[in-house]
Every structure is written in C-alpha cells, then in structure tokens.
Amino acid sequence: MAQPAVIVREARPDEFEMIGRLYERSWVEFADAVGQDTWRRMRASFGRLAERAAYSEVLVAERGGAIAGAVTYTGPDTRPAELPGPLRLIPRHWAYVGILAVAPELRGLGIGRALTAACIDRARRDGAPAIGLGTRSPMAAAQRLYDRMGFRRRRDLEEGQAEYLVYELPLERHRNGEMPESSEA
C-alpha cells in the first residue's frame, strides 16, 4: 500500500499549542544530553510560537491529514536584532531553518526532508544568498539529513560558544546546478 503524501503548509495560529507539544515530544530524548537548564529553556521556547510567528513562518507537514512535523522559517533580514539560540549565530542576510521536529513514530519517512526543502524554497523565493541553521551535537540524525541535503558545517560561525553546530547551504547551487566550494572544509 502506498504511503500517504506529505503536504507542507503554513500553520494556523490555533495549531501553535499542538505544535509546541509536538516539539517537546520529539525533542525530549535530548533532555539529558543538553542538561536540565537548557531543556527548560528549550521547552519554554516551544511554547512561544506566536512570538516567533511575528518574524518567521511556522510550517507543518501533514501526512494522512494529521500534523507529522513542523519547522520555522525565517527570511533574510526579517528577525529582531537580538535573539537567543542559534539564530544569533547566522548572518542576518541569510535565511534560517529553525526548530525542526518530526513525530518520533513517523521518522524516516521523508518528513524532515520535506520541511527543510520547503524552507530552502522559501529562501530562494526571498532571494537569500544562503540558508543556515543551528543544531546540537546529540542530534546526529538531523546532522545526517542536513549533510545529505548539501548543507556544510561552518565552524567559523560557531566560535565563542559550544552549544550549537552551525550549518550553511549556499543557494547559488540552486541557480546554476552546481554546489560552490564551501568556505569550511
């Protein structure tokens, strides 16, 4: 039997609370690895989607009519000047993939890839020269996804902090079909 299609769309404000719960359920496995103080901050952030929606698009992936994953997309030059988290490490003129989560029971079905691809499409729409993201070292599956999609780690943007790994996807590759040489080997 064929798998239900994954449909990516903008979230409705009445879905933000449910998405916050999805984020928490999807990321709770990392609570011990990041430490309880960081986990408390992460959980609080999950509940502030309405604040994030003021400068980001909140996207969901539906599979079989149910929300299976979510991500936030922030366009170039659209975010407030001072924000906590990995967004502060990403150049302002880049687009940004933020808080990506897939329901644990639906991982491995291409949902994370579809959400990330939707962010890349929006970055191209917005004329961003690159799209970046931050992840954490325990999130190995996410790192593998980003590597497979052509993102490259930017250690130079990680300097001065040890909490986040920073990745970049130059969008020139989408214009001429070739991946430019990364500035980080």
Side-chain angles (χ1 to χ4, degrees):
M1 185 159 111
Q3 294 286 333
V6 175
I7 299 167
V8 177
R9 63 168 176 80
E10 286 196 45
R12 297 184 308 270
D14 65 324
E15 295 172 319
F16 289 172
E17 185 177 329
M18 176 187 1
I19 295 165
R21 289 191 306 270
L22 169 69
Y23 281 144
E24 185 170 343
R25 191 166 62 88
S26 299
W27 287 32
V28 70
E29 69 188 84
F30 304 111
D32 289 338
V34 300
Q36 289 306 307
D37 287 341
T38 298
W39 177 240
R40 277 191 286 281
R41 286 194 318 270
M42 290 170 72
R43 287 180 65 208
S45 176
F46 299 156
R48 292 193 303 266
L49 280 177
E51 290 174 28
R52 189 175 300 268
Y55 58 88
S56 297
E57 295 176 45
V58 181
L59 306 175
V60 295
E62 283 188 351
R63 184 174 178 270
I67 292 177
V71 69
T72 59
Y73 165 77
T74 304
D77 299 315
T78 61
R79 63 187 186 249
E82 296 297 323
L83 290 172
L87 190 53
R88 74 181 189 280
L89 304 172
I90 305 298
R92 289 186 61 76
H93 64 285
W94 291 8
Y96 176 72
V97 178
I99 314 180
L100 172 68
V102 175
E105 68 277 10
L106 298 175
R107 290 180 182 157
L109 299 175
I111 295 164
R113 176 177 284 277
L115 287 164
T116 305
C119 291
I120 294 167
D121 289 344
R122 282 164 171 74
R124 280 188 299 204
R125 170 200 72 192
D126 294 344
I131 188 166
L133 59 90
T135 189
R136 295 173 185 272
S137 58
M139 299 174 176
Q143 293 163 43
R144 285 189 301 274
L145 169 67
Y146 302 137
D147 287 339
R148 284 191 309 267
M149 292 186 78
F151 285 82
R152 294 296 169 250
R153 186 141 170 224
R154 289 287 306 268
R155 291 182 190 334
D156 59 312
L157 297 176
E158 298 171 9
E159 291 179 18
Q161 61 83 46
E163 195 170 358
Y164 301 105
L165 309 178
V166 177
Y167 285 77
E168 170 197 19
L169 178 67
L171 294 178
E172 289 82 9
R173 83 180 261 192
H174 297 284
R175 285 195 270 271
N176 64 20
E178 294 179 19
M179 180 69 174
E181 286 299 314
S182 173
S183 59
E184 176 64 26

